[in-house]
Amino acid sequence: MKKTENKIIAFNWKMNPESIREAKKILTGLKKVSSNTRKTEIMVFPPSLYVNELKKTYKGKKIIFGAQSSHPLAVGSRTSESSYLMNKNMGLTHSLVGHSERRESLSDKGALIPERVAALLENKMVPVLCFGETKRDSSGDYIDYLKKQLKHDLKLVKEKDLKNLVLAYEPVWAIGSKAKRAVTTEELFSTMILIKKILFKMYGKKSEKIKILYGGSASESNIAELLEVKGVDGFLVGRASLDSKRFTKMIKEMEK
Ligand code: PGA
């Protein structure tokens, strides 16, 4: 993927909606708004159970379908997992990795985040690696946390694959209905600088090829101000991605 001026909006449906019928309705709204986009790249990560059926109803090229998770083993005894190869063979080109809701339910060792990222890249797929601190403390411990997390999660990435890597900075405290608030533009701006510095230390100038999204309570009400933050290549959206009125407003804002 070439780093261009186009911004990404990625929709993480998580374990929603309750039926394929509802999922198709949401997709209808997405198809409608996507038909007029010129500069927004739209990705959707539905539950794996729905993805094939949804893909069948969409013939266009504007919406990219992805998996919410990809195991690094091609096949094997891993109950409830889907592998990168299964996803690839279903025609998916993208996969979330390490969403905080997955990190919570897997032990550190079992999470296999570096392996998941590497398996996707080696197979010409695009990992959207979610990372971010659980708390933002005034003493700045989160800075070390982010450094360690990025170094660990990206340890198997080869420089030649950086152009296919997408990161999603998702401060855990700003995600989901329990979030007290979204990030402020000041917080996001300073954290983007920090992330870019960490990546520069790891890869030098080549790090500029990595796209960085923001996620955590991004919505139709704050997208305009978040879009002003320099260095943000787009958004990963949870709740607002299930409501066509809300995401239509977001995409229209990105198209301005
Ligand atoms: P939210 O979720 O937009 O509902 O906060 C974001 C995410 O978990 O990716």
Side-chain angles (χ1 to χ4, degrees):
M1 193 192 299
K2 236 183 169 174
K3 188 151 177 161
T4 61
E5 285 308 303
N6 284 355
K7 293 218 190 292
I8 295 171
I9 189 156
F11 293 142
N12 177 12
W13 286 3
K14 308 188 179 184
M15 199 171 68
N16 298 291
E18 64 187 39
S19 66
I20 182 71
R21 212 183 126 118
E22 290 301 311
K24 282 183 179 167
K25 269 196 213 154
I26 302 173
L27 186 65
T28 303
L30 199 52
K31 283 187 212 169
K32 205 163 152 212
V33 50
S34 71
S35 62
N36 292 317
T37 52
R38 287 170 301 111
K39 52 182 188 182
T40 310
E41 206 173 306
I42 302 171
M43 297 175 188
V44 59
F45 297 89
S48 61
L49 203 57
Y50 299 159
V51 78
N52 199 34
E53 182 85 12
L54 293 175
K55 265 175 109 277
K56 273 198 223 151
T57 70
Y58 181 66
K59 299 278 170 280
K61 291 213 158 59
K62 295 256 186 93
I63 304 173
I64 294 168
F65 290 87
Q68 291 183 7
S69 177
S70 293
H71 197 279
L73 274 183
V75 288
S77 310
R78 296 292 183 277
T79 304
S80 92
E81 291 270 7
S82 304
S83 78
Y84 73 84
L85 187 59
M86 292 169 164
N87 291 329
K88 187 175 180 175
N89 288 339
M90 290 304 276
L92 303 180
T93 50
H94 292 56
S95 175
L96 298 180
V97 180
H99 189 279
S100 58
E101 288 153 16
R102 295 271 307 160
R103 289 186 197 247
E104 238 177 45
S105 61
L106 296 165
S107 69
D108 258 351
K109 204 162 158 267
L112 301 171
I113 309 257
E115 291 79 4
R116 288 174 197 266
V117 173
L120 288 160
L121 287 171
E122 275 158 27
N123 288 282
K124 308 272 172 276
M125 294 174 79
V126 176
V128 179
L129 172 71
C130 308
F131 71 102
E133 76 279 6
T134 45
K135 331 188 252 280
R136 181 161 287 231
D137 46 284
S138 50
S139 54
D141 285 351
Y142 73 93
I143 296 176
D144 269 345
Y145 185 93
L146 288 177
K147 267 187 205 159
K148 278 200 194 118
Q149 199 179 29
L150 279 173
K151 278 200 179 140
H152 171 265
D153 291 357
L154 299 178
K155 70 180 178 192
L156 301 176
V157 174
K158 301 195 175 106
E159 276 189 10
K160 69 171 177 49
D161 291 326
L162 293 177
K163 60 182 184 310
N164 287 327
L165 178 65
V166 179
L167 302 181
Y169 168 60
E170 296 213 304
V172 181
W173 50 267
I175 294 178
S177 50
K178 286 193 201 127
K180 291 203 177 64
R181 62 178 183 89
V183 77
T184 64
T185 49
E186 291 77 19
E187 281 166 341
L188 184 55
F189 181 62
S190 61
T191 315
M192 288 304 291
I193 293 177
L194 170 71
I195 294 166
K196 283 176 192 266
K197 270 192 188 158
I198 300 171
L199 295 172
F200 191 85
K201 268 207 163 157
M202 291 169 72
Y203 303 110
K205 218 169 150 44
K206 288 193 178 127
S207 63
E208 288 167 17
K209 293 183 185 151
I210 305 171
K211 292 201 171 192
I212 311 173
L213 314 183
Y214 167 74
S217 300
S219 74
E220 71 287 5
S221 30
N222 61 6
I223 191 155
E225 58 187 52
L226 293 175
L227 273 166
E228 297 290 316
V229 180
K230 242 186 130 205
V232 178
D233 294 305
F235 306 96
L236 180 57
V237 185
R239 282 157 296 165
S241 72
L242 297 165
D243 179 325
S244 63
K245 274 203 192 115
R246 299 183 69 187
F247 65 66
T248 300
K249 275 191 196 156
M250 292 180 87
I251 294 174
K252 285 192 175 157
E253 200 60 49
M254 291 178 72
E255 284 290 307
K256 277 186 185 165

